[in-house]
């Protein structure tokens, strides 16, 4: 054997020099025995290379056993090894041999270090996909039994993760054994094992037979939901989500509802926090009627929880939950909206920010009328509370609301508030408004935009903050696409040309930037005859920052300009800029000229 | 020109707050040194330009500054020193400014602050950051060697004199600054030290000892004389924290510009930059620290909720 003991290595090395492959393996194997951790780590990462080189048979008969030996190693090594072994199915010769990888992985699954254990279990799951029923029954099943009966909590924890991949493929008596084992693990004396078992329950539930689901799984779910450790109880909600999909209405009411009621009132806020976050997923699996009759009140309680984080978490799910009772509009109006109002006055800023992130998403669920009566007043109130994250959240999601309500409301109610927010001291809020207004403008139509918004928009192109100017410029593309190139030519370009003459160099810059963005949407003769002449005059500007923008702008416009204009106007201009004293002006001009040639 | 490809790659890393490799940093420092060698002790600048004060390794706030003022080369900048120490990202901050300097030498100017020094950076964080991020002191050495080449002052359109700290009793005229041999570690005393350490003081008549232990306090008469002799309109400097981002002194003859908002992540101050237009009118853009979502949370690790 190539790697049996050190003494033989020198002889072997002489032999193996004959073939490159074997030589490199010997080097790798030497490295595996090195004192230096880093070297060992590098070589273990290349273990697939060795496997590929020695071939299927030797991988199975020699490499795998060898790797089983080195499992008492540093955690960094074993972690990489656990991961690499998961890829070994091909190297051992395909699915029929996949079980041969189990021994070293099983050993690693007993490791003290959590990440190594978890990685091993992951890899076992991967290779088990390649196993047929026979292999699972013959090789995997004993492994699980062995681990589950292990002396240390570490092996029992790992066992938990393997039940669901094994169950379907074993015979009836083995299934019974597995369920008995699982029950034992759920009753394990160490909470770490019970926690892993609780995790696995959600995976196991869809796989077991209906009878076993009711006889064994659901009772275990309820038992674990009452565990003394909150780290175990916290997994209840996921288990409920999984089981809810598998049982009928009556069973749900009998078993799951009480469990949900309990964990929504759990003494640990972390449990309640997660329940609030995931509660809507339970409601997705049952009829809206049950949601309304049984689940709604639990959710409302969570939204009134004492603990701030629980309220934040629940609030973020209001729209997701409300979707489930969409058909009960009255309930939403009478039960959910009062709570929303309450939350909008919550003492905690975090709660309000959370509310702001979802409130507009209620609009499509409740429709125009309720939006006007109930939703908009709350939105307006939130906007006036002067919390900038709240304002930002609402403004950036206004589209959901504006698509639902009537134009009249948009114009008379929303728009004035937005215009007001344009003066907000926080520039990000102003920027969000500038970003949203084009969408609103498109909804309200070109005439309205021309009449009421365009003048304002042009002032935003001149804002003191660069990012706001840039945002306004970028959104011109969308407006032009919607309203058409004619609209742009006759309504927008005159304003932008005026900005080109503004004494402030930054305004000139943003005007040039806007023109370069709009060019693809415009007619070629407009660009050639109208735009280019107005730009080229800037070549005499004193400020180099302006001239380099000019060079860049002309560069962008070249594909959209007529050849004659390129030759007669653009090239002379760029040539002039090429000879400018300023290095950057010259560079940008050169890039543009190079493109033409 | 051909090396712009490499520079652009490094620039992209830095824009995303990624630390360049040691080799890349060495490369940028070398290129920057060649540029600094050509610059005099006082750099002559043209308007329009945006003048900034201390940034102290607050990378995300520097990004915020660029969002507000625009980036080079579209906007020209002068940074008046103190790029490193105190913030968590001295390396990324300084290297971003340096790489921008290499890329657009005429559009961004860096002058030396009192923290651009071997001694100070060993106490206030830059050295420790280099050790933490690289495991050795090479990067610190490259940077501190480069600091020696930074100019000491700048002047915009011959009218606005810019320096990190303030004035020196040994310097009456701008010409005298030329005589300084600046390519050295910041001395403990003398004109070069004063330029980087002095502070204005309304209660001082002319000169007084500075409680910092370096540089001087200087008063109104000194400022008026200096401006008269050198035909200046304004002195712009940094070096001192301003709660509102900027602070005038001596009947607006001098202004302190401070560009590190929520300094040291605890002072809750605003920051500002001073925009100077082609007519030499100046105005201030005040800004606050970048919000939490914009700040990279590279440092966050997934910690499990429980000890289990």
């Amino acid at each position: 054997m190539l790697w049996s003991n050190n003494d033989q290595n020198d002889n072997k090395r002489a032999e193996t020099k004959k073939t490159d492959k074997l030589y490199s393996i010997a080097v790798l194997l030497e490295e595996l025995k090195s004192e230096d951790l880093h070297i060992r780590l590098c070589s273990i990462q290349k273990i697939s290379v060795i496997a590929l080189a020695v071939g299927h048979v030797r991988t199975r008969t020699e490499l795998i056993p060898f790797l089983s030996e080195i499992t008492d190693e540093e955690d960094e090594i074993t972690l990489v090894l656990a991961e690499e072994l998961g890829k070994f199915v091909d190297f051992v010769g395909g699915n029929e041999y996949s079980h041969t990888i189990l021994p070293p992985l099983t050993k690693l699954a007993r490791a003290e270090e959590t990440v190594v254990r978890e990685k091993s279990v992951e890899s076992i799951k991967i290779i088990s996909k390649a196993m047929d029923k026979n292999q699972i029954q013959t090789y995997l099943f004993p492994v699980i039994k062995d681990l589950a009966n292990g002396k240390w909590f570490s092996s029992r924890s790992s066992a938990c993760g393997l039940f669901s991949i094994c169950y379907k493929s074993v015979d009836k008596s083995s299934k019974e054994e597995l369920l008995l084992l699982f029950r034992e693990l759920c009753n394990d004396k160490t909470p770490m094992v019970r926690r892993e078992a609780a995790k696995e329950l959600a995976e196991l539930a869809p796989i077991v037979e209906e009878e076993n689901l009711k006889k064994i799984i659901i009772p275990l779910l309820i038992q674990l939901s009452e565990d003394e450790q909150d780290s175990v109880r916290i997994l209840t909600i996921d288990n409920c989500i999984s089981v809810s999909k598998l049982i009928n209405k009556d069973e749900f009411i009998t078993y799951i509802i009480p469990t949900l009621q309990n964990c929504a009132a759990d003494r640990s806020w972390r449990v309640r926090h997660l329940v609030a976050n995931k509660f809507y997923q339970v409601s997705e699996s049952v009829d809206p009627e049950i949601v309304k009759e049984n689940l709604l009140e639990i959710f409302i309680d969570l939204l009134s929880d004492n603990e701030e984080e629980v309220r934040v978490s629940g609030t973020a799910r209001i729209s997701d939950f409300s979707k489930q009772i969409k058909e009960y509009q009255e309930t939403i109006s009478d039960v959910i909206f009062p709570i929303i109002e309450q939350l909008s006055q919550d003492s905690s800023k975090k709660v309000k920010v959370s509310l702001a992130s979802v409130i507009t998403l209620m609009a499509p669920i409740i429709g125009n009328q309720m939006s006007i009566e109930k939703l908009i007043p709350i939105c307006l109130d939130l906007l006036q509370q002067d919390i900038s994250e709240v304002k930002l959240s609402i403004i950036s999601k206004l589209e959901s609301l504006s698509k639902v309500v009537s134009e009249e409301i948009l114009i008379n109610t929303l728009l004035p508030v937005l215009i007001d927010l344009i003066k907000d001291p926080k520039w990000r809020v102003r920027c969000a408004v500038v970003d949203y207004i084009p969408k609103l403008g498109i909804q309200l139509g070109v005439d309205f935009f021309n009449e009421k918004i365009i003048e304002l928009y042009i002032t935003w192109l001149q804002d003191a903050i660069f990012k706001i100017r840039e945002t306004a410029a970028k959104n011109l593309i969308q407006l032009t696409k919607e309203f058409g190139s004619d609209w742009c030519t006759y309504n927008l370009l005159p304003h932008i040309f005026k900005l080109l003459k503004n004494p402030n160099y930054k305004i000139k810059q943003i005007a040039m930037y806007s023109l370069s963005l709009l060019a693809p949407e415009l007619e070629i003769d407009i660009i050639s005859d109208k735009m280019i002449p107005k730009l080229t005059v800037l070549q005499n500007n004193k400020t180099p920052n302006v001239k380099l923008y000019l060079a860049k702008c002309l560069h962008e416009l070249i594909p959209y300009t007529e050849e004659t204009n390129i030759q007669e106007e653009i090239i002379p201009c760029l040539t002039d800029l090429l000879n400018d004293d300023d290095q950057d002006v010259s560079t940008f001009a050169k890039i543009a000229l190079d493109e033409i040639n | 020109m051909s090396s712009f490809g490499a520079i652009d790659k490094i620039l992209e890393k830095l824009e995303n707050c990624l630390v360049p490799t040691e080799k890349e940093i060495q490369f940028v420092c070398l290129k920057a040194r060649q540029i600094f060698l050509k610059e005099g002790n006082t750099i002559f600048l043209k308007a329009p330009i945006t003048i900034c004060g201390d940034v102290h390794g607050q990378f995300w706030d520097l990004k915020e500054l660029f969002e507000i003022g625009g980036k080079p080369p579209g906007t020209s900048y002068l940074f008046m020193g103190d790029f490193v120490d105190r913030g968590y990202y001295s390396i990324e901050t300084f290297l971003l400014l340096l790489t921008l300097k290499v890329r657009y030498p005429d559009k961004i100017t860096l002058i030396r602050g009192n923290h651009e020094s071997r001694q100070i950076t060993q106490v206030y964080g830059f050295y420790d950051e280099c050790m933490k991020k690289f495991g050795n002191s090479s990067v610190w050495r490259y940077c501190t060697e480069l600091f020696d080449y930074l100019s000491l002052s700048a002047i915009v359109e011959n009218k606005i004199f810019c320096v990190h700290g303030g004035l020196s009793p040994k310097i009456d005229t701008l010409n005298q600054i030329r005589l300084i041999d600046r390519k050295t570690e910041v001395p403990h005393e003398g004109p070069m030290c004063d330029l980087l350490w002095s502070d204005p003081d309304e209660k001082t008549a002319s000169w007084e000892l500075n409680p910092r232990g370096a540089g001087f306090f200087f008063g109104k008469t000194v400022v008026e004389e200096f401006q008269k002799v050198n035909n200046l309109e304004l002195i712009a400097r940094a070096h001192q924290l301003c709660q509102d981002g900027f602070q005038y002194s001596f009947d607006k003859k001098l202004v302190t510009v401070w560009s590190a908002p929520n300094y040291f992540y605890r002072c809750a101050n605003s920051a500002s930059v001073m925009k100077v237009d082609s007519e030499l009118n100046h105005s201030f853009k005040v800004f606050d620290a970048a919000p939490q979502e914009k700040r990279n949370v590279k440092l966050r690790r997934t910690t499990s909720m429980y000890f289990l």
Side-chain angles (χ1 to χ4, degrees):
Chain A
M1 293 231 299
L2 197 59
W3 36 76
S4 45
N5 62 53
N6 278 323
D7 304 350
Q8 292 181 4
N9 271 349
D10 289 324
N11 289 336
K12 292 295 177 190
R13 213 179 279 143
E15 266 182 73
T16 55
K17 265 184 182 154
K18 291 179 189 168
T19 50
D20 268 345
K21 263 192 200 173
L22 292 173
Y23 177 66
S24 62
I25 300 165
V27 169
L28 278 169
L29 290 169
E30 267 303 297
E31 286 174 350
L32 274 173
K33 293 184 193 136
S34 163
E35 299 253 314
D36 186 343
L37 178 69
H38 186 70
I39 296 181
R40 293 208 303 277
L41 191 60
C42 282
S43 70
I44 206 80
Q45 281 162 343
K46 294 187 230 143
I47 209 81
S48 321
V49 174
I50 304 182
L52 196 61
V54 299
H56 300 320
V57 179
R58 296 186 77 178
T59 302
R60 290 201 301 272
T61 56
E62 293 173 24
L63 183 54
I64 299 277
F66 171 72
L67 292 173
S68 301
E69 297 302 307
I70 63 169
T71 47
D72 327 280
E73 254 281 12
E74 295 279 341
D75 292 332
E76 283 116 321
I77 308 285
T78 46
L79 180 61
V80 173
L81 181 57
E83 179 158 12
E84 289 299 308
L85 284 170
K87 306 173 191 163
F88 258 55
V89 175
D90 289 331
F91 299 133
V92 293
N95 294 357
E96 56 185 299
Y97 296 107
S98 48
H99 59 273
T100 58
I101 316 172
L102 279 176
L105 278 175
T106 312
K107 210 163 172 190
L108 288 167
R110 298 182 201 273
E112 232 178 275
E113 174 57 50
T114 320
V115 286
V116 176
R117 274 204 315 269
E118 286 176 354
K119 191 54 90 171
S120 323
V121 169
E122 221 181 279
S123 290
I124 296 180
K125 284 185 182 173
I126 293 173
I127 61 172
S128 72
K129 289 203 181 94
M131 292 191 208
D132 63 27
K133 287 199 170 158
N134 252 326
Q135 288 168 295
I136 294 191
Q137 179 78 54
T138 318
Y139 300 105
L140 186 57
F141 179 56
V143 161
I144 298 180
K145 281 207 292 188
D146 209 32
L147 287 171
N149 288 312
K151 188 167 160 204
W152 304 106
F153 80 88
S154 34
S155 69
R156 299 199 303 274
S157 288
S158 295
C160 289
L162 299 171
F163 280 77
S164 52
I165 53 164
C166 179
Y167 191 83
K168 270 212 165 106
S169 308
V170 296
D171 60 38
K172 187 152 187 253
S173 72
S174 306
K175 282 191 167 108
E176 281 171 21
E177 255 191 275
L178 278 177
L179 288 175
L180 277 171
L181 265 175
F182 188 71
R183 181 187 277 156
E184 269 176 46
L185 291 168
C186 288
N187 285 292
D188 196 284
K189 59 184 192 292
T190 57
M192 296 76 90
V193 177
R194 298 200 302 272
R195 179 172 153 83
E196 294 303 313
K199 266 198 222 164
E200 186 68 359
L201 195 141
E203 305 293 316
L204 203 47
I207 294 179
V208 301
E209 303 77 10
E210 203 182 323
E211 191 201 341
N212 284 322
L213 180 69
K214 302 208 187 100
K215 241 176 50 180
I216 301 184
I217 300 294
I218 292 187
L220 284 174
L221 185 159
I222 298 177
Q223 182 187 310
L224 288 167
S225 78
E226 291 162 358
D227 195 286
E228 46 134 16
Q229 291 284 329
D230 60 355
S231 60
V232 178
R233 296 197 309 273
I234 203 171
L235 296 159
T236 310
I237 185 72
D238 280 320
N239 291 339
C240 288
I241 292 170
S242 174
V243 167
S244 305
K245 300 184 183 131
L246 308 163
I247 53 179
N248 68 33
K249 176 175 157 184
D250 293 317
E251 288 157 349
F252 182 81
I253 297 182
T254 316
Y255 299 117
I256 304 298
I257 298 277
T259 310
L260 286 172
Q261 280 167 339
N262 284 338
C263 57
D266 196 290
R267 60 187 184 275
S268 161
W269 73 268
R270 286 188 208 273
V271 175
R272 301 197 309 272
H273 176 263
L274 195 62
V275 173
N277 185 15
K278 296 201 172 187
F279 200 73
Y280 78 99
Q281 290 183 34
V282 179
S283 56
E284 277 173 351
S285 324
V286 296
D287 288 333
E289 196 199 332
I290 302 196
V291 178
K292 171 171 164 269
E293 295 297 321
N294 304 93
L295 293 179
L296 179 58
E297 54 182 348
I298 304 178
F299 189 60
I300 298 291
D301 279 340
L302 286 166
L303 291 173
S304 321
D305 196 284
N306 274 333
E307 176 59 48
E308 179 196 50
E309 291 296 333
V310 178
R311 295 199 303 278
V312 170
S313 172
T315 306
R317 298 295 186 191
I318 286 184
S319 59
D320 291 322
F321 184 83
S322 304
K323 269 192 210 138
Q324 308 309 321
I325 49 170
K326 204 168 162 173
E327 46 205 79
Y328 298 102
Q329 291 284 308
E330 252 185 61
T331 310
I332 299 183
S333 172
D334 297 339
V335 181
I336 296 201
F337 262 95
I339 267 284
I340 292 182
E341 270 173 50
Q342 196 180 301
L343 290 166
S344 75
Q345 307 300 321
D346 197 290
S347 53
S348 155
K349 181 173 129 173
K350 256 182 132 175
V351 171
K352 289 192 244 199
V353 173
S354 183
L355 181 63
S357 67
V358 293
I359 193 164
T360 51
L361 303 175
M362 291 294 288
I365 303 172
I366 58 180
N368 181 35
Q369 198 53 37
M370 212 195 297
S371 292
I372 300 175
E373 283 172 20
K374 301 245 167 178
L375 188 59
I376 291 191
I378 300 180
C379 285
L380 293 180
D381 181 75
L382 281 168
L383 284 171
Q384 276 158 6
Q385 283 189 40
D386 205 32
I387 304 171
S388 49
E389 294 99 321
V390 166
K391 288 188 240 187
L392 265 173
S393 252
I394 295 185
I395 297 168
S396 51
K397 297 200 182 153
L398 265 178
E399 239 186 314
S400 316
L401 180 58
S402 61
K403 285 204 169 116
V404 171
V405 296
S406 61
E407 255 185 45
E408 200 196 321
I409 296 292
L410 286 176
I411 299 175
N412 295 330
T413 317
L414 269 181
L415 193 57
V417 174
L418 287 171
I419 304 294
D420 214 36
L421 284 169
I422 272 295
K423 302 180 205 121
D424 197 281
K426 295 271 182 197
W427 73 266
R428 285 208 149 80
V429 175
R430 301 203 302 275
C431 199
V433 177
V434 170
D435 201 30
Y436 171 68
I437 290 284
K439 299 187 181 76
L440 184 63
I442 290 172
Q443 247 185 290
L444 295 174
V446 64
D447 293 324
F448 184 83
F449 191 89
N450 286 340
E451 216 185 311
K452 301 278 178 183
I453 302 188
I454 199 167
E455 296 286 340
L456 209 50
Y457 203 89
I458 300 299
T459 62
W460 298 337
L461 281 170
Q462 304 172 67
D463 194 282
I465 304 285
F466 168 76
K467 191 80 185 170
I468 295 183
R469 298 196 298 274
E470 195 190 40
T471 308
K474 283 188 175 160
N475 283 330
L476 290 173
I477 307 176
Q478 207 190 351
L479 287 166
T480 304
K481 280 196 164 120
E482 275 292 326
F483 295 154
S485 80
D486 277 347
W487 169 83
C488 180
T489 309
Y490 296 113
N491 290 287
L492 202 52
L493 285 188
H495 287 288
I496 300 184
F497 290 151
K498 222 167 123 194
L499 293 180
L500 275 178
K501 300 199 202 127
N502 191 298
N504 186 336
Y505 80 100
K506 290 194 189 285
I507 309 293
K508 290 191 167 69
Q509 285 178 334
I510 205 67
M512 284 190 269
Y513 180 60
S514 306
L515 293 177
S516 63
L517 289 176
L518 289 171
E521 312 293 329
L522 299 172
E523 309 282 320
I524 195 168
D525 51 300
I526 298 291
I527 298 175
S528 312
D529 301 331
K530 297 263 154 53
M531 229 189 251
I532 302 291
K534 293 199 166 50
L535 285 167
T536 49
V537 294
L538 289 169
Q539 76 186 55
N540 299 315
N541 192 285
K542 297 182 298 163
T543 311
N545 310 77
V546 170
K547 287 186 277 191
L548 66 89
Y549 252 76
L550 175 62
K552 270 213 262 189
C553 180
L554 290 174
H555 182 190
E556 303 285 329
L557 292 179
I558 288 165
Y560 306 102
T561 314
E562 272 175 50
E563 190 59 37
T564 43
N565 296 81
I566 296 180
Q567 293 297 328
E568 286 171 23
E569 295 177 68
I570 295 189
I571 292 187
C573 181
L574 287 172
T575 315
D576 193 52
L577 293 174
L578 183 66
N579 297 318
D580 196 278
D581 286 334
D582 188 279
Q583 186 185 316
D584 298 306
V585 174
S586 174
T587 312
F588 283 110
K590 181 167 191 305
I591 297 175
L593 282 169
D594 285 346
E595 170 121 344
I596 300 179
N597 301 332
Chain B
M1 283 264 202
S2 54
S3 59
F4 278 162
I7 286 291
D8 282 334
K9 275 208 190 106
I10 300 173
L11 206 49
E12 205 189 311
K13 263 194 197 178
L14 287 162
E15 301 272 358
N16 293 306
C17 201
L18 293 169
V19 180
T21 65
E22 210 178 288
K23 274 210 160 1
E24 286 171 334
I25 294 178
Q26 202 178 13
F27 174 67
V28 173
C29 286
L30 191 63
K31 291 274 165 194
R33 182 199 295 200
Q34 290 163 357
I35 298 174
F36 292 151
L37 272 168
K38 296 189 223 150
E39 291 176 339
N41 291 345
T42 303
I43 307 180
F44 287 82
L45 297 172
K46 294 222 172 95
I49 190 165
T50 302
I51 300 177
C52 313
D54 298 22
V55 286
H56 279 299
Q58 296 182 206
F59 180 87
W60 298 105
D61 298 318
L62 178 61
K63 294 279 275 183
E64 186 82 352
L65 190 158
F66 284 141
E67 299 244 279
I68 288 176
K71 275 172 45 189
T75 308
S76 298
Y77 279 97
L78 165 65
F79 283 87
M80 297 192 288
D82 277 12
F83 319 112
V84 298
D85 286 340
R86 294 238 162 82
Y88 296 144
Y89 303 104
S90 293
I91 297 176
E92 294 88 332
T93 306
F94 178 56
L95 263 308
L96 176 59
L97 291 172
L98 202 64
T99 313
L100 283 169
K101 174 68 177 171
V102 171
R103 184 70 179 82
Y104 306 110
D106 299 327
K107 301 293 175 302
I108 173 168
T109 303
L110 308 174
I111 62 175
R112 196 171 187 175
N114 63 309
H115 277 256
E116 275 71 62
S117 128
R118 289 165 186 76
Q119 292 197 321
I120 299 290
T121 50
Q122 282 182 64
V123 179
Y124 290 101
F126 183 46
Y127 177 82
D128 295 330
E129 191 184 312
C130 291
M131 287 305 290
K132 186 173 110 176
K133 290 180 180 168
F134 285 92
N136 63 64
S137 59
S138 309
V139 167
W140 178 81
R141 267 187 295 111
Y142 300 146
C143 292
T144 46
E145 270 159 26
L146 186 63
F147 291 159
D148 289 344
Y149 290 84
L150 285 165
S151 297
L152 303 177
S153 59
I155 181 160
V156 179
E157 302 283 357
N158 287 316
K159 288 284 164 203
I160 304 178
F161 179 65
C162 309
V163 69
H164 176 74
L167 302 178
S168 170
K170 298 271 165 68
I171 295 182
D172 305 308
T173 69
L174 294 174
N175 263 329
Q176 285 169 317
I177 301 181
R178 281 203 203 166
L179 304 172
I180 301 175
D181 175 15
R182 78 171 193 261
K183 298 191 181 68
T184 159
E185 167 68 14
V186 181
H188 293 148
E189 53 179 11
M192 176 167 160
C193 169
D194 298 337
L195 289 174
L196 270 44
W197 279 91
S198 292
D199 294 302
D201 183 53
E202 304 268 9
K203 297 197 284 283
T204 300
S206 53
W207 298 103
E208 273 185 29
L209 281 180
N210 191 323
R212 290 189 201 248
F216 290 88
F217 271 171
F218 57 94
K220 191 170 184 184
T221 48
V222 164
V223 169
E224 283 175 343
E225 182 68 15
F226 190 79
Q227 284 199 351
K228 191 162 132 214
V229 165
N230 297 289
N231 212 355
L232 301 169
E233 273 177 25
L234 178 69
I235 298 176
R237 43 89 68 176
H239 195 44
Q240 280 179 306
L241 172 65
C242 303
Q243 211 42 44
D244 300 318
F246 69 97
Q247 172 102 355
Y248 279 115
S249 305
F250 309 132
D251 286 334
K252 297 202 175 180
K253 290 197 165 52
L254 178 140
V255 67
T256 305
V257 184
W258 181 264
S259 305
N262 194 21
Y263 176 48
F264 213 2
Y265 311 114
R266 58 191 78 165
C267 292
N269 59 293
S270 298
S272 78
V273 296
M274 183 166 90
K275 293 195 307 167
V276 179
D277 70 14
S278 337
E279 268 75 61
L280 281 193
N281 301 314
H282 62 272
S283 61
F284 295 90
K285 281 227 269 269
V286 178
F287 63 100
D288 290 318
Q292 200 53 41
E293 319 87 70
K294 298 280 171 185
R295 303 184 96 93
N296 190 22
V297 265
K298 276 193 299 194
L299 305 166
R300 187 188 288 164
R301 284 196 207 164
T302 42
T303 45
S304 55
M305 279 206 292
Y306 302 94
F307 63 91
L308 295 171

